[in-house]
Amino acid sequence: MTRSRVRLDLPRAPRRAILPTYDPEAFGRFSEKIARFLGTGRFIVWMTLVIILWVLWNIFAPSHLRFDEYPFIFLTLMLSLQASYAAPLILLAQNRQDDRDRVTHEQDRKQNERSIADTEYLTREIAALRMGLGEVATRDWIRSEFQDLIKEMDERRLFPAESDEGDR
């Protein structure tokens, strides 16, 4: 008997799953849509109207058409069933929102760190420029130095006094 070689460069063929598979992202989006609807005034109004109609029908309808007599046990069961599905879906939607908020906060924190680092860098650059400008000769400083030199040379009489004959 020869044993078939397993090729490691090819992915395995998908196996048949025993349990049904589902897309967690699609289910999460679906739960968020339901949670958003359950959190609206429209849902409260519709739910209130359904309950009022249910109660009124089961009180005033002919007795052979009533499907839930006075203690309204079936209504209680329906409301419990709705709540038992709504609560986990709302929690799932909240968890997904928490995950998104956590990612957003992390991105904000990193952006703040970059902004602080950029601000510190620019502060150091401005300080270096100020220190460098303190050592730069400005036009006014050069002019005052020249005036001081001219006064000093006049005092030493290195330049003869200007005369009219010097131009000839």
Side-chain angles (χ1 to χ4, degrees):
M1 289 189 163
T2 61
R3 188 173 173 181
S4 66
R5 264 182 90 169
V6 177
R7 293 199 49 184
L8 297 176
D9 60 338
L10 296 175
R12 287 185 179 176
R15 295 181 184 179
R16 290 184 57 184
I18 297 172
L19 298 174
T21 59
Y22 68 96
D23 180 17
E25 279 300 309
F27 189 75
R29 287 190 300 271
F30 175 71
S31 69
E32 286 178 343
K33 287 179 184 177
I34 290 174
R36 281 191 198 103
F37 175 68
L38 293 176
T40 62
R42 181 184 301 170
F43 172 75
I44 300 296
V45 169
W46 281 109
M47 184 61 107
T48 304
L49 288 175
V50 166
I51 291 172
I52 289 172
L53 289 174
W54 185 297
V55 169
L56 290 176
W57 178 265
N58 287 294
I59 290 175
F60 297 114
S63 42
H64 68 282
L65 294 176
R66 295 179 191 169
F67 55 89
D68 193 15
E69 291 296 325
Y70 165 65
F72 305 118
I73 294 172
F74 189 52
L75 175 64
T76 305
L77 177 66
M78 288 292 110
L79 292 175
S80 297
L81 183 65
Q82 183 266 333
S84 69
Y85 275 97
L89 290 175
I90 290 170
L91 288 174
L92 179 61
Q94 286 176 342
N95 288 340
R96 286 174 53 90
Q97 184 62 44
D98 288 342
D99 291 342
R100 280 193 297 272
D101 289 344
R102 190 175 308 113
V103 168
T104 302
H105 290 308
E106 182 66 23
Q107 289 173 347
D108 289 346
R109 187 186 63 77
K110 287 180 181 178
Q111 179 62 39
N112 288 341
E113 286 177 357
R114 285 191 298 267
S115 296
I116 289 170
D118 290 345
T119 304
E120 289 174 351
Y121 172 75
L122 291 173
T123 303
R124 287 191 301 273
E125 288 297 312
I126 289 172
L129 285 172
R130 284 184 176 169
M131 289 172 54
L133 282 176
E135 299 170 2
V136 172
T138 62
R139 182 179 60 187
D140 293 336
W141 181 80
I142 292 174
R143 190 174 286 146
S144 68
E145 289 296 314
F146 276 139
Q147 287 173 352
D148 290 345
L149 267 173
I150 291 172
K151 285 180 188 176
E152 186 179 326
M153 292 171 85
D154 280 346
E155 288 173 1
R156 291 186 184 178
R157 298 275 180 207
L158 292 176
F159 288 119
E162 292 185 22
S163 65
D164 294 343
E165 296 175 9
D167 291 337
R168 291 183 196 179

